[in-house]
Amino acid sequence: MSAENWHEERDRLVRLLKAIETGKVTHVDEEDLRELQAATPENIEALKQRLAELNDRLSSNPPL
């Protein structure tokens, strides 16, 4: 499996958050856990925080 770059991770998180908002996704994987966890306000907030970090990184590092 290849590693995601920041752009790919950001795009995946955007798709995931939209799917959660529409109800198409109800469970997410969490670090160090071997099974899906129900989407909660806490883990949704963690996804949004990671997305904000990626957006900050990518906006400060424009493509060459």
Side-chain angles (χ1 to χ4, degrees), residues 19-33:
I20 290 170
E21 289 173 359
T22 63
K24 291 181 181 179
V25 171
T26 59
H27 288 70
V28 295
D29 61 344
E30 290 190 33
E31 224 174 289
D32 299 327
L33 297 176

Side-chain angles (χ1 to χ4, degrees), residues 13 17 42 44-54:
L13 289 176
L17 286 166
E42 293 82 14
I44 292 170
E45 183 59 32
L47 293 171
K48 289 179 179 181
Q49 287 176 1
R50 178 62 182 156
L51 180 57
E53 290 172 14
L54 290 167

Side-chain angles (χ1 to χ4, degrees), residues 6-8 10 53-63:
W6 289 342
H7 291 278
E8 292 167 337
R10 180 184 61 186
E53 290 172 14
L54 290 167
N55 284 335
D56 286 344
R57 286 181 184 173
L58 291 169
S59 67
S60 64
N61 293 312

